[in-house]
Amino acid sequence: MTDVARVAVVDDDRAIRWVLERALAQPDLEVECIERADTALERLLADPPDVLVTDIRMPGIDGLDLMARVREAHPELPVIVMTAHSDLDSAVASYQGGAFEYLPKPFDVDEALALVRRAVAHARERRRPVSVPEGLDAEIIGEAPAMQEVFRAIGRLSHSHITVLINGESGTGKERVARALHQHSPRTGKPFIALNMAAIPKDLIESELFGHEKGAFTGATAQRQGRFEQANGGTLFLDEIGDMPAETQTRLLRVLADGEFYRVGGHTPVRVDVRIIAATHQDLERLVEDGRFREDLFHRLNVIRVHLPRLAERREDIPRLANHFLAEAAKELATDVKVLTPEAERHLTRLPWPGNVRQLENACRWLTVMASGREILVEDLPPELRGEGDETTGAGGDWRVAFRDWADRALAAGHTHLLEEAVPDFERILIETALRHTGGRKGEAAELLGWGRNTLTRKLKVLLPALAEGE
């Protein structure tokens, strides 16, 4: 039968050969057990099986040497390495030698059978030609309506030098959108300089932005151009603008107004022509209310605002994004492109993705390194992504448990300022639910929420402006 896969088992332990011979005695598998690696080598080179299962420590040629010689002639052959000496060195040596998987003894018989079946599927999949979907090299991927709005904004701004403020949670791709705005602007071909405010110590921010003169401070052994000068003629992308210190906000406002600045320790004005694109995951209006962000600077930056949706709000884009990131990771790591099974693809689209597109990109890089086969199964996913996703938090679940789980994942994904991220969504959900219960009557909704009417009106203007306009 053409569907029968041949499996070769090489182990000097008679008991292991006996167990595997019976465990693998399946209608779609044909098993051959061999006691010694040196005996098996010639046979395997001449007539390779679909899968090789080999012990490491055997008399004569050991399993790693056997794997190396066979894979040199047949590099597509998946090899499962077994050993009773399950230490780190054995595992690393196995994978470095190109093993499909590492199986420490004693093993579960069902686990061994499932692993062999995966190796068979992997071998058959490798024989099929790989076709990477077209269009995955675009700078931004998005078919969801919210992303189409972003594309439209980029198109409308393509002939403009105007200042843009990008809003969106951490990991939603704000820098990618900023680069697209630059590339589709009259400044394309000029410098695009990106600076993350949250990643620079406060006492170095002004030097980073405006440069410094020689001797301006200890360690300033030479004059240095700042990011504004480096971006002259092009675009300066200021990420996490909400983390900019107050004194730097004042200097930035002056540059935006006058088009010139002084280097730190300098006395000669430097003139620049720079387009500013700023981005933040924070609620700048709230920071202005709290006195942590200058209102006049906010209005200077908030000329055109582009909002990036959370990944959970554009689930239809997840399969294409994942395929794109898997292709990128394979190119970066010089390996074969991994392919999601339909089950894994459906599973990924149901997850909450607190780290947004960045978390998905990191997961795809992890899978490219860690998944054994070319096809990615649900069980190949990182442990934190194997849960059931958003759909498990049903009406009977405790929202506090789900909320705590979200906070854990968000912090693990590198989020900061969690309150500023969570509170607006929390309030927005409560407002929408209260209005639904009152049929849109805002006075009654305010009473249900325990707010005054003016408070609800103010919140609506910030959180749900479309609803506020109806009042």
Side-chain angles (χ1 to χ4, degrees), residues 233-245:
T235 301
L236 177 60
F237 174 55
L238 300 177
D239 199 5
E240 298 304 350
I241 193 76
D243 289 307
M244 180 177 280

Side-chain angles (χ1 to χ4, degrees), residues 329-367:
K331 183 178 179 181
E332 174 189 331
L333 300 168
T335 187
D336 293 334
V337 180
K338 300 287 175 79
V339 179
L340 291 167
T341 60
E343 295 78 17
E345 194 173 276
R346 283 194 295 272
H347 182 84
L348 291 180
T349 61
R350 293 197 297 264
L351 294 174
W353 296 110
N356 294 298
V357 177
R358 185 185 299 126
Q359 185 186 6
L360 176 61
E361 182 177 10
N362 290 339
C364 290
R365 187 174 285 111
W366 187 95
L367 287 165

Side-chain angles (χ1 to χ4, degrees), residues 9-70:
V9 176
V10 183
D11 197 314
D12 62 329
D13 187 327
R14 180 183 298 175
I16 293 293
R17 296 200 305 274
W18 185 88
V19 167
L20 285 175
E21 187 171 25
R22 278 149 186 79
L24 301 178
Q26 305 291 321
D28 58 338
L29 298 176
E30 178 185 305
V31 186
E32 179 184 14
C33 291
I34 308 168
E35 182 177 357
R36 293 178 60 93
D38 44 13
T39 305
L41 180 59
E42 187 175 344
R43 205 179 309 174
L44 295 173
L45 289 175
D47 186 18
D50 292 289
V51 177
L52 170 62
V53 182
T54 180
D55 191 23
I56 288 186
R57 301 193 181 185
M58 294 180 289
I61 301 174
D62 69 16
L64 296 180
D65 195 12
L66 173 67
M67 176 173 64
R69 295 195 198 184
V70 174

Side-chain angles (χ1 to χ4, degrees), residues 379-454:
E379 51 264 38
D380 291 324
L381 298 175
E384 67 273 14
L385 298 183
R386 290 181 204 153
E388 294 296 326
D390 282 352
E391 295 180 355
T392 61
T393 310
D398 186 342
W399 68 270
R400 297 170 187 82
V401 174
F403 189 63
R404 184 177 289 109
D405 187 45
W406 169 84
D408 283 337
R409 286 195 301 264
L411 290 172
H415 284 217
T416 58
H417 306 287
L418 243 58
L419 282 174
E420 291 165 359
E421 185 174 341
V423 170
D425 283 343
F426 183 76
E427 292 183 342
R428 189 180 296 112
I429 290 167
L430 286 175
I431 291 170
E432 287 174 335
T433 307
L435 286 169
R436 193 162 59 246
H437 276 264
T438 64
R441 292 183 293 276
K442 295 170 186 173
E444 294 177 28
E447 188 174 345
L448 288 177
L449 294 168
W451 283 339
R453 177 62 179 265
N454 290 341

